[in-house]
Amino acid sequence: MLLLGIDIGTSSIKVSVLDANTQQVIISRQYPEQESDIIAKQPGWAEQSPEMWWAHVQQAFNLCKQQGTFNPHDISSIGIAYQMHGLVLVDKDQQVLRDSIIWCDSRAVEIGNQAFDALGHDFSLSHLLNSPGNFTASKLSWVKQHEPEVYARIHKMMLPGDFIAMKLTQEITTSMSALSEAILWDFQTNRVSAELMALYGIDASLIPEIRPVFSEHGRVTQAVAELLGLKAGTPVSYKSGDQPNNALSLNVLQPGEVAATAGTSGVIYGVSDQLTYDPQSRVNTFAHVNHTAEAPRLGVLLCINGTGSLNRWTKNLFGSAVNYMQMNEQAAQTPIGAAGIRILPFGNGAERMLNNKIVGVHFHDIDLNLHHQGHIFRAVQEGIAFSFRYGLDIMRSNGLYPSVIRAGKANLFLSDLFLEAFVNATGVPVELYENDGSVGAALGSGIGSGMFSTAAEAFHNIKPLQLVEPSAVEQYEPVYQSWLNFLNKQN
């Protein structure tokens, strides 16, 4: 009995096949090897083609099949994780109407700000747990205002994972969790927000059928089964945004448990049983994968738009002749504080934790006679770690005090230097695991299909790889305060 997990990332698509009995990965592959394109027609805009995602899903799965390590007909369920907050629009023939406006697109910031004022801050925060902000509903409102001919042809609006499930099954569904990340869910009335829909003039018929995260979202069609080599009728039994799914992959499901990622974006995600919100909406609250009205499980999410993306940009510009491991080695040979360089890592759109401001990346205090590549590489990773500390302090002010943070050993968490900077800047130990988003999606499908009777059963064989504890907090604190001083001047 095998489980298939699909992770629709911004940079690439990753697919994993797991043995349901052992929870061990049989094979994982991603496509493409180089990062997928982001279409930026104007400054602050970011789009991707949903059909490109679907093509890359096929390529990644075909790479898995080429190894001959499993029989695709043995796959009994499929789970999907996806980049959050993206807007996908299809017509009645399930044809894509325009490229997806993805999570780091900033065009709808002012629309969300105006809606926050029009609905009232108290109402928005107590009912939606967030400002409408630059989220999916506001992006749909932008389309309605600026592309009325597209809006008139919409049959359904979806999140990216809903789209991939549609391609597999021809069924269009969504979930409470997905609608909460779109800022369309009213937690007080436990339904789609009639007030926000009315304010934006969005027809309720555009919202897909709502099903639980862990449930059947359609079955693989005969045509897709022939295309991919799967068994027709295989259920898609789990769909989740990437950050709730990452938390699931790390078995972060109960109040007080916290997960982190540092891929294209950086995230700290903590679980609460309270309908909590930040008064300034700098961190956001969404329905977690196991949330119900009777037993609330809310994901409190801090997002930093440009973490791994800044590290990649730095490599392309300053380190094209070295790989990431060599970058980390050079950085580790320089002192804590990078000999005075401070870098603000905010160059990938409007930052929610900075009140939706577009601050940009800033390099401070470079000495042309002193500093070399290694100093730049270290200052970048320290700057990213300091942005996590800044956001975590906001979360602490809202009552979330993690004693340990769980993370997958991937992306920036592969760097010993980044790990050192992260734990010492935040003062919180990090527990590392092997799991990633595609593995979490596969396990989620096992829960949704009933193969696992409980989530605990799904994680029975998942053990931590390493615990990294703070050891140089006193050395990092003055460097952080220096970095914070530069941020305060820009913010």
Side-chain angles (χ1 to χ4, degrees):
M1 300 290 282
L2 305 181
L3 309 173
L4 174 62
I6 302 169
D7 187 6
I8 312 302
T10 311
S11 301
S12 65
I13 307 298
K14 188 168 185 180
V15 168
S16 290
V17 178
L18 270 66
D19 184 314
N21 292 322
T22 65
Q23 295 94 59
Q24 297 304 301
V25 177
I26 294 172
I27 191 166
S28 292
R29 290 292 183 270
Q30 67 182 43
Y31 189 89
E33 291 186 9
Q34 303 300 318
E35 294 190 6
S36 298
D37 291 336
I38 293 178
I39 303 161
K41 297 176 182 177
Q42 294 189 32
W45 288 23
E47 301 179 0
Q48 286 186 322
S49 163
E51 293 293 352
M52 176 191 74
W53 299 333
W54 175 233
H56 290 177
V57 167
Q58 297 172 59
Q59 294 279 10
F61 187 62
N62 285 336
L63 289 173
C64 287
K65 290 193 300 180
Q66 286 173 12
Q67 302 303 306
T69 54
F70 70 99
N71 182 346
H73 273 227
D74 291 338
I75 291 171
S76 59
S77 62
I78 301 170
I80 300 169
Y82 59 88
Q83 49 173 290
M84 296 172 72
H85 314 305
L87 174 67
V88 182
L89 304 172
V90 297
D91 65 16
K92 60 182 177 58
D93 297 317
Q94 298 189 355
Q95 298 300 304
V96 175
L97 291 172
R98 68 173 328 282
D99 286 332
S100 173
I101 304 175
I102 65 171
W103 59 276
C104 54
D105 186 289
S106 301
R107 75 187 70 184
V109 168
E110 192 51 38
I111 290 173
N113 289 342
Q114 292 172 5
F116 196 27
D117 290 337
L119 289 171
H121 292 201
D122 289 343
F123 176 89
S124 293
L125 294 173
S126 61
H127 284 254
L128 307 175
L129 306 186
N130 303 278
S131 159
N134 186 41
F135 294 105
T136 317
S138 299
K139 290 166 182 170
L140 180 56
S141 178
W142 184 94
V143 172
K144 187 174 189 291
Q145 292 179 34
H146 296 274
E147 298 176 353
E149 71 289 351
V150 171
Y151 184 85
R153 296 172 58 200
I154 300 172
H155 172 60
K156 295 295 178 186
M157 61 82 65
M158 291 180 280
L159 282 296
D162 300 332
F163 172 77
I164 296 301
M166 181 200 79
K167 297 297 287 188
L168 288 164
T169 69
Q170 291 192 338
E171 291 193 41
I172 302 178
T173 72
T174 193
S175 68
M176 180 200 309
S177 182
L179 293 174
S180 76
E181 72 178 75
I183 317 301
L184 283 167
W185 193 257
D186 188 318
F187 286 89
Q188 299 292 341
T189 61
N190 201 38
R191 57 169 172 75
V192 173
S193 173
E195 291 80 3
L196 184 63
M197 295 283 282
L199 179 66
Y200 280 163
I202 298 171
D203 193 313
S205 67
L206 302 188
I207 306 297
E209 179 185 345
I210 302 168
R211 297 182 185 175
V213 169
F214 298 106
S215 69
E216 186 178 305
H217 293 271
R219 290 179 174 266
V220 170
T221 64
Q222 184 65 43
V224 170
E226 293 173 3
L227 177 68
L228 295 179
L230 295 166
K231 185 167 54 181
T234 304
V236 173
S237 53
Y238 170 82
K239 289 188 300 185
S240 171
D242 52 7
Q243 299 310 326
N245 175 74
N246 178 68
L248 170 77
S249 76
L250 297 166
N251 197 19
V252 170
L253 293 168
Q254 300 307 323
E257 296 176 339
V258 178
T261 57
T264 301
S265 62
V267 167
I268 296 178
Y269 185 98
V271 179
S272 173
D273 57 1
Q274 304 296 315
L275 296 182
T276 184
Y277 54 84
D278 176 56
Q280 298 181 49
S281 206
R282 297 165 298 174
V283 297
N284 301 104
T285 304
F286 309 115
H288 195 24
V289 293
N290 56 340
H291 173 78
T292 65
E294 297 74 28
R297 294 293 182 269
L298 287 305
V300 181
L301 186 151
L302 158 75
C303 181
I304 306 153
N305 288 357
T307 54
S309 58
L310 173 59
N311 205 42
R312 183 257 310 156
W313 180 88
T314 304
K315 181 184 182 302
N316 291 345
L317 201 64
F318 296 100
S320 57
V322 298
N323 58 36
Y324 285 112
M325 185 177 295
Q326 291 167 327
M327 285 175 61
N328 296 339
E329 290 171 353
Q330 288 187 34
Q333 293 170 13
T334 64
I336 293 171
I341 300 178
R342 304 288 178 265
I343 295 178
L344 304 181
F346 304 115
N348 194 21
E351 293 284 355
R352 277 174 260 162
M353 73 173 186
L354 302 179
N355 299 107
N356 273 325
K357 293 181 181 177
I358 300 177
V359 172
V361 171
H362 295 260
F363 286 58
H364 291 280
D365 289 354
I366 293 176
D367 185 325
L368 300 178
N369 298 311
L370 171 64
H371 295 127
H372 53 67
Q373 277 184 325
H375 292 104
I376 296 290
F377 298 155
R378 181 173 197 122
V380 163
Q381 294 196 28
E382 288 184 346
I384 294 167
F386 293 152
S387 66
F388 274 100
R389 158 68 184 278
Y390 182 88
L392 183 57
D393 283 349
I394 294 173
M395 299 178 83
R396 286 168 170 149
S397 72
N398 283 277
L400 189 70
Y401 295 93
S403 58
V404 65
I405 294 173
R406 298 177 193 169
K409 194 171 178 63
N411 302 311
L412 277 169
F413 282 108
L414 289 168
S415 166
D416 289 340
L417 185 148
F418 176 74
L419 270 165
E420 174 195 303
F422 183 96
V423 299
N424 285 290
T426 62
V428 182
V430 169
E431 199 171 59
L432 291 173
Y433 290 78
E434 195 67 60
N435 284 7
D436 64 17
S438 61
V439 173
L443 292 171
S445 80
I447 298 169
S449 65
M451 188 169 301
F452 303 122
S453 58
T454 64
E457 184 181 340
F459 293 94
H460 178 71
N461 291 317
I462 307 300
K463 307 298 182 186
L465 298 172
Q466 181 183 3
L467 178 67
V468 182
E469 300 196 64
S471 60
V473 173
E474 292 182 357
Q475 291 171 268
Y476 274 90
E477 183 63 22
V479 182
Y480 171 71
Q481 293 299 330
S482 169
W483 177 92
L484 181 60
N485 183 55
F486 283 116
L487 176 60
N488 289 335
K489 290 178 180 177
Q490 294 296 330
N491 192 24

